[in-house]
Amino acid sequence: MKRILSAVLAGAFLVSLAACNTIAGAGKDIEKAGETIQGAAKK
């Protein structure tokens, strides 16, 4: 289960990085991905 969750999160992270156009956008995407990982780890 953890392997699938990790793969999904990694895929979402890569898609979000591809979608951002600026350094500020990249920072926001990285922050959002970190928050998602923290939320998954707490479960």
Side-chain angles (χ1 to χ4, degrees), residues 4-22:
I4 293 170
L5 179 60
S6 295
V8 169
L9 289 175
F13 178 71
L14 291 174
V15 168
S16 69
L17 279 181
C20 68
N21 294 323
T22 64

Side-chain angles (χ1 to χ4, degrees), residues 7 10-11 15 22 28 30 32 34 36:
V15 168
T22 64
K28 289 178 184 178
I30 291 169
K32 182 69 173 175
T36 302

